[in-house]
């Protein structure tokens, strides 16, 4: 799933390649992709593209007086093409969800792999009209997101810290991968309750949030859209590395599975050497 660093890199890429170009056609190719109907997609055609903004994991492309907003969900991606096929694609075939054709040639596709179609596209006058954007918490890399603002989010919250970091209404842009990376950098168990952090632990976790995301954004800066997935994977220390040695201490990275996801962590760095219970496996053994 694209998270804050990758979406920020896509924003930069679109600012460089899309700004000033005129949209010729917008072709919806998946029934589920379009979440709004007024204004219609056709209202974007013939309009120049302006700056692209990021809201958490959402991209908002300014086109004329409107915004084309997308959330790439778990398996979505934006694929830029300098040259598009002359023949329009047929709806309902393959991973294509939406195509934007630009005057003078080229454009981009929104694609989604797999059978669960969650990629979403909105055409709105104001990005705040999108429900997912309206409920977002603060951006963790914003200047005003200081240590005290972070501490206020944790205070009194009885949820496990892994879940809190992923809650978009609390902090915008952090998903499964970077929450694992942040907690590993902070040497914190993913199951630790948010309300149980003392002052020093809050400070240490806040610094891990800013450093982990900041470093990932820096690595992704200037990377072409098509190479961002590989760049993200290469920079991860524990997420997706179950069974590999921890790059900090050498212990084996372990995993906990859930219904539709998993987390990875290092027992030595994060849980005092104790493996966490894999709750899904425990239920199967009963």
């Amino acid at each position: 799933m694209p998270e804050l660093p990758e979406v920020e890199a896509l924003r930069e890429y679109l600012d460089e390649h899309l700004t000033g170009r005129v949209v010729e056609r917008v072709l919806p190719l998946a029934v589920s992709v379009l979440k709004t109907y007024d204004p219609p997609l056709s209202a974007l055609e013939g309009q120049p593209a302006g700056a692209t903004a990021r809201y958490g994991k959402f991209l908002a492309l300014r086109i004329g007086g409107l915004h084309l907003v997308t959330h790439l969900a778990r398996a979505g991606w934006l694929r830029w093409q300098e040259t598009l096929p002359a023949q329009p694609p047929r709806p309902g075939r393959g991973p294509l969800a939406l195509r934007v054709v630009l005057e003078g040639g080229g454009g981009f596709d929104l694609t989604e792999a797999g059978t669960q179609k969650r990629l979403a596209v909105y055409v709105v006058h104001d990005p705040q009209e999108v429900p997912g954007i309206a409920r977002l918490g603060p951006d963790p890399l914003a200047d005003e997101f200081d240590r005290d603002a972070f501490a206020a989010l944790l205070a009194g919250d009885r949820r496990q810290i892994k879940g809190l970091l992923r809650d978009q209404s609390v902090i915008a842009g952090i998903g499964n991968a970077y929450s694992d990376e942040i907690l590993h950098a902070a040497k914190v168990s993913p199951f630790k309750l948010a309300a149980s952090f003392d002052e020093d632990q809050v400070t240490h976790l806040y610094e891990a949030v800013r450093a982990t995301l900041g470093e990932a954004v820096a690595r992704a800066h200037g990377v072409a859209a098509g190479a961002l997935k590989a760049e993200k994977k290469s920079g991860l220390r524990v997420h997706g590395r179950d069974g590999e040695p921890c790059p900090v201490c050498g212990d084996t990275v372990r995993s906990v599975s859930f219904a539709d996801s998993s987390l990875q962590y290092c027992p030595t760095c994060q849980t005092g050497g104790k493996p966490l219970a894999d709750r899904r496996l425990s239920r199967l053994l009963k």
Side-chain angles (χ1 to χ4, degrees):
M1 176 186 290
E3 299 179 35
L4 185 156
E6 296 77 51
V7 178
E8 176 63 17
L10 287 174
R11 184 201 64 76
E12 291 182 351
Y13 189 88
L14 289 172
D15 260 357
E16 180 181 350
H17 291 78
L18 182 63
T19 301
R21 302 287 298 274
V22 174
V23 173
E24 182 177 291
R25 296 187 68 190
V26 185
L27 305 171
L29 301 165
V31 174
S32 61
V33 68
L34 192 60
K35 306 303 181 185
T36 56
Y37 63 90
D38 184 23
L41 281 172
S42 59
L44 304 175
E45 297 175 352
Q47 300 299 315
T52 298
R54 178 185 60 79
Y55 299 87
K57 302 178 192 177
F58 288 84
L59 280 172
L61 290 61
R62 187 173 185 87
I63 301 175
L66 299 172
H67 298 266
L68 178 68
V69 178
T70 184
H71 189 287
L72 296 172
R74 173 170 293 183
W77 197 245
L78 186 148
R79 185 173 64 192
W80 183 269
Q81 300 191 73
E82 296 295 339
T83 303
L84 289 168
Q87 186 69 24
R90 297 177 63 182
R93 291 182 176 272
L96 281 180
L98 182 134
R99 171 166 288 175
V100 175
V101 182
L102 303 174
E103 290 185 1
F108 63 88
D109 292 331
L110 296 180
T111 65
E112 186 171 25
T115 58
Q116 294 185 349
K117 302 302 181 183
R118 297 178 179 175
L119 189 150
V121 172
Y122 310 79
V123 179
V124 293
H125 294 279
D126 184 338
Q128 293 298 327
E129 296 173 30
V130 177
I133 291 179
R135 71 177 183 85
L136 286 176
D139 190 293
L141 292 183
D143 291 341
E144 61 270 21
F145 188 73
D146 58 18
R147 186 262 180 211
D148 290 342
F150 180 66
L153 298 177
L154 271 60
D157 197 309
R158 300 297 299 172
R159 284 178 292 175
Q160 294 172 347
I161 190 61
K162 167 80 174 179
L164 183 143
L165 290 176
R166 294 184 62 189
D167 186 339
Q168 300 303 293
S169 66
V170 176
I171 304 174
I174 301 173
N176 195 30
Y178 286 108
S179 58
D180 281 352
E181 296 298 299
I182 288 165
L183 294 171
H184 177 254
K187 298 186 176 182
V188 171
S189 168
F191 291 172
K192 183 177 175 64
L193 298 183
S196 69
F197 282 72
D198 62 29
E199 292 298 313
D200 288 342
Q201 290 170 333
V202 169
T203 299
H204 193 46
L205 181 58
Y206 170 75
E207 291 171 348
V209 168
R210 299 277 285 197
T212 300
L213 295 177
E215 290 166 6
V217 168
R219 288 196 308 270
H221 177 71
V223 177
L228 280 170
K229 289 183 180 180
E231 191 287 324
K232 174 183 179 178
K233 184 176 181 180
S234 69
L236 298 176
R237 293 187 166 195
V238 291
H239 183 79
R241 301 195 181 279
D242 185 23
E244 298 181 21
C246 169
V248 174
C249 71
D251 193 2
T252 302
V253 172
R254 304 210 182 198
S255 182
V256 177
S257 298
F258 301 95
D260 60 351
S261 66
S262 64
L263 65 83
Q264 284 76 51
Y265 69 100
C266 170
T268 294
C269 291
Q270 297 175 251
T271 60
K274 298 179 180 179
L276 298 173
D278 189 328
R279 295 174 180 182
R280 187 173 66 170
L281 179 60
S282 297
R283 288 197 299 270
L284 293 174
L285 293 175
K286 286 182 179 180

